[in-house]
Amino acid sequence: MRIGDLSARTGASVRMLRYYEEQGLLAPVRTDSGYRIYQESDVDRVARIRCMLSAALPSGVVGEALKFLLDGRAVIPDEPADRARLADTLQGELDLLTEKIESLQRSRELLATIVADVRGDVVGPGRPGDPGCAVVRRSVRKAGPAVGQTR
């Protein structure tokens, strides 16, 4: 099948399929005129690539995983050692994702608290903790409507 057909069947754009090829994740056969020809098995391969990339795995890790999952025996002849290396690499990526998720959850909780405080009129000008209470402000008129005004 040609690149447009693979794109239609997988939902991956033609540009992304070319990127996967550049990264060594896909290896289409080329015709004499330079057209890419993909195999039926590439539909599943692209689905797996997209899944792993959406999990924020780097393309190098995806390539290693694909060698193990889809390409038969890995380049390293000792399969248990190869499996252990791949598992260690994937575990490292999983640990990084877990750290990112925990950090994002903390940020989300903080933002939710701020939104609740603003909605509840707990913070703002003239409220306890307002860092601007002691500051004398001068109004500066800028061109355009004032913030919060609608026409």
Side-chain angles (χ1 to χ4, degrees):
M1 85 184 80
R2 290 199 177 165
I3 195 167
D5 300 324
L6 183 61
S7 174
R9 291 192 54 195
T10 62
S13 68
V14 169
R15 184 174 182 204
M16 286 308 302
L17 295 173
R18 289 184 184 129
Y19 172 77
Y20 298 161
E21 182 182 0
E22 287 173 15
Q23 296 299 307
L25 304 175
L26 278 176
V29 175
R30 295 285 188 144
T31 65
D32 291 339
S33 56
Y35 288 101
R36 295 169 175 88
I37 302 295
Y38 295 92
Q39 305 302 315
E40 185 65 29
S41 60
D42 288 329
V43 174
D44 180 53
R45 186 178 192 88
V46 169
R48 290 177 188 245
I49 290 168
R50 294 185 75 190
C51 178
M52 287 187 272
L53 290 175
S54 71
L57 293 176
S59 60
V61 173
V62 172
E64 287 298 312
L66 289 174
K67 277 197 294 188
F68 181 76
L69 297 171
L70 298 178
D71 295 341
R73 190 169 173 88
V75 175
I76 300 170
D78 183 12
E79 190 173 320
D82 188 33
R83 185 178 295 125
R85 184 176 53 79
L86 177 60
D88 289 345
T89 300
L90 293 173
Q91 184 64 54
E93 294 300 322
L94 181 61
D95 293 345
L96 287 173
L97 278 175
T98 300
E99 290 174 18
K100 288 177 185 176
I101 290 168
E102 289 169 353
S103 176
L104 284 170
Q105 285 174 330
R106 286 189 300 274
S107 295
R108 184 185 185 286
E109 290 167 4
L110 177 61
L111 182 57
T113 300
I114 293 169
V115 169
D117 287 348
V118 168
R119 288 190 191 278
D121 201 25
V122 176
V123 296
R127 300 288 187 259
D130 179 17
C133 286
V135 177
V136 177
R137 295 194 173 115
R138 288 184 294 166
S139 178
V140 177
R141 180 84 170 136
K142 294 183 179 181
V147 175
Q149 287 185 342
T150 57
R151 290 183 184 210

